[in-house]
Amino acid sequence: MSEFLAELIGTMILIIFGGGVVGGVVLKNTKAEGAGWIVITVGWGLAVTMGVYAVGNVSGAHINPAVTLGFAAVGEFPWSKVPMYITAQMLGAFIGGVIVFLNYLPHWKATKDTGAKLGVFSTDPAIRSPFSNLVSEIIGTFVLVMGLLFIGANEFTEGLNPLIVGALIVAIGMSLGGTTGYAINPARDLGPRIAHALLPIPGKGGSDWSYSWIPVLGPILGGIYGAVFYRAIFVSDFSVLFWVLSAVMAVILIGAANAELKKGETTADKVEEKIS
């Protein structure tokens, strides 16, 4: 098997299980309907585990452009292979989305909530606030890539590493994922979102393209920064990229905090005006 096919299949498996568990929980009249967030986070953790077990010995099972870019940024992966890996990941995610659609064929029509249907394919924020949503995706993917480097995830198929990686995904979902649905993977969100836009899903509504840049840009920034931060702090490799990204992260974090504080002040002012 080629590395291209391995990344395609690994990412496809990720979406089949990950999107599949969301479909089971949110679509009407499934036997798992209403099972809740814990089931979804565990399902995604196992989805990653299965994808890693399937193709880790062929491609390293990045199954995530943020991981590929992060590893390349610190010399753990050749830049020459990055376009091929990301193309395979995007195709695999799209195909996985199509398979999830086929699995739940009778349930799309039974489900009236267009947001629930889109949620099977892609993420959306609990509270829509672009700057803050971007920060959540950055933090989640930063922790992901840092975690992968902590546990030596470049040797996925040795011992229990795939299960440990799956546990990391569950931890991120339970602890940090409640804000945006924790895409932490551009392919995981964009590939199935494209599938949602193209598939003949009954009453599906829009694909929320105005939000779609956040689960792409956030994980890319977080993944690369997680890798260069690890190299800087644990290997004492303080590269130019580390300092540049540290400055960018500071601007984004301060900007997001400032934007939310201003919203709070505006709300308080309106309440005070009504009282007076």
Side-chain angles (χ1 to χ4, degrees), residues 67-84:
V67 172
T68 299
L69 289 167
F71 283 4
V74 294
E76 295 285 342
F77 186 75
W79 280 105
S80 61
K81 291 184 179 182
V82 168
M84 179 263 288

Side-chain angles (χ1 to χ4, degrees), residues 11-55:
T11 313
M12 180 187 72
I13 290 170
L14 167 69
I15 300 302
I16 289 173
F17 286 123
V21 71
V22 176
V25 171
V26 305
L27 295 179
K28 290 296 181 183
N29 301 328
T30 75
K31 292 184 180 295
E33 183 183 353
W37 186 246
I38 302 301
V39 169
I40 288 174
T41 57
V42 172
W44 274 106
L46 292 173
V48 171
T49 297
M50 293 302 106
V52 171
Y53 269 126
V55 300

Side-chain angles (χ1 to χ4, degrees), residues 154-175:
N154 55 321
E155 298 178 0
F156 284 125
T157 56
E158 291 188 9
L160 297 176
N161 272 6
L163 286 172
I164 298 170
V165 172
L168 173 63
I169 300 300
V170 174
I172 293 171
M174 289 184 179
S175 301

Side-chain angles (χ1 to χ4, degrees), residues 64-116:
N64 182 343
V67 172
T68 299
L69 289 167
F71 283 4
V74 294
E76 295 285 342
F77 186 75
W79 280 105
S80 61
K81 291 184 179 182
V82 168
M84 179 263 288
Y85 264 56
I86 292 178
T87 301
Q89 291 155 1
M90 287 297 302
L91 285 172
F94 175 84
I95 294 168
V98 172
I99 293 172
V100 171
F101 163 71
L102 294 171
N103 185 71
Y104 288 105
L105 280 176
H107 298 274
W108 303 110
K109 190 174 181 180
T111 304
K112 304 305 179 186
D113 185 348
T114 58

Side-chain angles (χ1 to χ4, degrees), residues 26 34 56-57 60 63 78 109-110 140 152 158 176 186 207 264-265:
V26 305
N57 64 334
I63 59 178
K109 190 174 181 180
E158 291 188 9
L176 304 171
S207 300
E265 289 174 0

Side-chain angles (χ1 to χ4, degrees), residues 192-210:
R193 193 184 296 269
I194 294 171
H196 175 272
L198 298 178
L199 288 168
I201 303 168
K204 65 181 176 181
S207 300
D208 197 8
W209 292 109
S210 64

